[in-house]
Amino acid sequence: MSESRQRPPFKGPRWIITLVVLVAVVVITAFIYPPRNSVACYMFSGPGCPLYQQFLFVPSRELTDNEAAAQVVMNEIMNLPLSKTKNPKIAFMFLTPGTLPFEPLWEMFLRGHESKFTIYVHASKKSPLHTSSYFVGRDIHSHKVSWGQISMVDAERRLLAHALVDSDNQHFVLLSDSCVPLFDFNYIYNHLMFANLSYIDCFEDPGPHGSGRYSQHMLPEVEKKDFRKGSQWFSMKRRHAIVVMADSLYYTKFKLYCRPNMEGRNCYADEHYFPTLFNMIDPDGIANWSVTHVDWSEGKWHPKLYNARDITPYLIRKIKSIQLAYHVTSDLKKVTTVKPCLWKGEQRPCYLFARKFNPETLNRLMYLFPNYTSMV
């Protein structure tokens, strides 16, 4: 029998082996780190590609008919091209029970910028008596508003609806009768108009005044993990304002199941509806803090009320110098989260407005106004 012969070792060119290894490395790298908007992205469909993410996404449950329809509408709105106008304006929307005591101060703030703003006033108890020409004729059809009730959200949506009629309105600021501006008009206009975010306060609070207010009746559309809390005093882009107007599904859930004295808990829709809605549909499009400062240091149901003796250059400078946003949970742990207030990557003061000021502070504020708006 002939001896069995072994296969001789491979002696092919080494460059072939090297080439194969390099191609393998390129393919693996392109899969893991593809250019997001390139042909390679769609060839390899790696985790960094929108297409990959789209195919990878699998809903955790079957959507209801209403939910599927709502998501289609929301996605269409969010994908619309940014509206362009030759004269972009800020809509200042005042939610007040009646007369606005700080109209003279707002007139000082607005004077000389008439083409860059519009004003809307929702008076929930009695028709206001206006002292400034900027506010005359700016009242909208209003309804009664009760603290903690869905009627507060209704009033905010009503203001947005009227303000959206003017296509020049590109940013929408909700203000109360006790709000005052902290900076001059140009600074606030540029800060809001050229920001890439809406300033909607939003954070997760596992405590009794946060997720403890959630109702299982909100299922399946609103899950507890998506439930958020925040200040009602928002400032939002036009696209987000249109989303609010288009929403009926999530709004109805809060109307029915987020109210005081429901199932032994007090849920306040104005503190949860907007934060939860935008946490679900566009979490990266909101700043997660409000541009309106409120002092809750007294630990009461309502924020600190500033009286005439409190109004000093030091107080104004102190509020304007805040560059960190704080959130504290309502559970026993009292976990505090701190976030820098960034404007296009640059750390800036968090607050453009402040409340809650007693009407008696008007004269003192007007005296300080020319100087305090320019304070650093």
Side-chain angles (χ1 to χ4, degrees):
M1 296 179 62
S2 61
E3 297 180 357
S4 60
R5 290 189 262 179
Q6 295 181 344
R7 183 183 296 272
F10 177 72
K11 297 182 179 180
R14 293 187 177 181
W15 68 267
I16 296 179
I17 299 174
T18 304
L19 179 62
V20 171
V21 171
L22 287 175
V23 170
V25 171
V26 170
V27 170
I28 294 172
T29 303
F31 179 80
I32 299 175
Y33 304 108
R36 292 182 59 85
N37 295 314
S38 69
V39 176
C41 184
Y42 293 93
M43 287 176 60
F44 298 107
S45 296
C49 292
L51 183 64
Y52 178 90
Q53 295 171 350
Q54 177 181 345
F55 288 154
L56 188 65
F57 173 73
V58 178
S60 58
R61 58 179 173 79
E62 183 177 357
L63 301 181
T64 64
D65 291 344
N66 289 337
E67 192 174 11
Q71 289 199 7
V72 169
V73 173
M74 298 292 185
N75 288 336
E76 286 295 319
I77 294 172
M78 294 304 298
N79 289 324
L80 287 174
L82 296 177
S83 58
K84 296 182 179 180
T85 175
K86 293 182 179 179
N87 185 36
K89 297 188 293 186
I90 294 178
F92 294 103
M93 308 181 303
F94 290 85
L95 182 58
T96 176
T99 297
L100 292 162
F102 293 103
E103 280 189 25
L105 180 66
W106 283 102
E107 183 171 2
M108 291 180 66
F109 167 76
L110 297 167
R111 189 179 298 131
H113 307 283
E114 288 75 11
S115 64
K116 293 184 177 181
F117 69 87
T118 47
I119 289 176
Y120 303 88
V121 179
H122 184 294
S124 61
K125 292 184 179 180
K126 59 182 180 180
S127 180
L129 298 175
H130 297 297
T131 58
S132 169
S133 59
Y134 292 137
F135 289 80
V136 174
R138 303 311 302 168
D139 302 291
I140 71 169
H141 178 69
S142 306
H143 292 282
K144 183 179 179 181
V145 174
S146 299
W147 180 79
Q149 302 286 347
I150 193 65
S151 58
M152 187 75 76
V153 176
D154 293 338
E156 294 167 0
R157 286 162 58 97
R158 197 172 295 118
L159 280 162
L160 285 172
H162 281 79
L164 280 166
V165 172
D166 187 341
S167 60
D168 285 339
N169 288 333
Q170 296 296 305
H171 208 100
F172 305 78
V173 182
L174 182 68
L175 299 161
S176 76
D177 57 315
S178 66
C179 282
V180 301
L182 294 174
F183 293 88
D184 62 37
F185 184 91
N186 285 328
Y187 181 91
I188 290 178
Y189 179 89
N190 291 329
H191 188 104
L192 295 179
M193 200 61 69
F194 299 110
N196 53 6
L197 299 170
S198 289
Y199 293 94
I200 298 172
D201 193 25
C202 175
F203 75 105
E204 186 174 8
D205 178 5
H209 302 317
S211 298
R213 296 171 174 176
Y214 173 80
S215 171
Q216 295 289 332
H217 292 295
M218 291 187 176
L219 290 171
E221 292 85 359
V222 181
E223 300 180 50
K224 190 172 184 178
K225 66 180 180 62
D226 296 319
F227 195 74
R228 293 293 186 271
K229 180 182 179 180
S231 168
Q232 76 175 105
W233 307 106
F234 62 78
S235 171
M236 67 175 63
K237 293 292 188 181
R238 185 176 182 89
R239 179 180 291 170
H240 285 156
I242 296 174
V243 165
V244 172
M245 289 295 95
D247 175 47
S248 62
L249 175 64
Y250 303 108
Y251 163 79
T252 301
K253 289 289 183 176
F254 280 85
K255 180 178 182 179
L256 295 176
Y257 306 118
C258 181
R259 60 179 187 265
N261 302 317
M262 180 180 177
E263 300 175 337
R265 58 173 70 92
N266 290 318
C267 185
Y268 307 113
D270 57 282
E271 294 183 5
H272 298 285
Y273 169 60
F274 284 130
T276 302
L277 175 66
F278 287 102
N279 173 64
M280 294 175 65
I281 67 168
D282 192 19
D284 294 329
I286 60 175
N288 296 318
W289 75 84
S290 167
V291 288
T292 299
H293 177 266
V294 183
D295 185 350
W296 290 98
S297 62
E298 295 180 340
K300 300 179 180 178
W301 282 105
H302 296 284
K304 175 180 175 60
L305 176 66
Y306 295 110
N307 296 309
R309 64 178 180 274
D310 300 316
I311 308 306
T312 63
Y314 171 77
L315 172 68
I316 304 299
R317 189 182 297 111
K318 179 181 177 181
I319 297 175
K320 292 178 61 173
S321 66
I322 298 173
Q323 296 189 4
L324 298 172
Y326 291 82
H327 290 116
V328 183
T329 62
S330 60
D331 56 4
L332 295 177
K333 295 181 179 180
K334 301 293 182 184
V335 177
T336 300
T337 56
V338 183
K339 179 178 181 179
C341 296
L342 301 179
W343 187 86
K344 293 187 174 182
E346 172 191 350
Q347 190 163 0
R348 280 192 175 188
C350 299
Y351 304 112
L352 305 179
F353 312 96
R355 65 186 300 268
K356 190 174 186 181
F357 290 84
N358 192 312
E360 70 177 27
T361 63
L362 174 61
N363 290 336
R364 181 65 177 161
L365 286 168
M366 291 187 68
Y367 174 76
L368 293 175
F369 180 81
N371 291 322
Y372 84 65
T373 53
S374 60
M375 292 178 184
V376 178

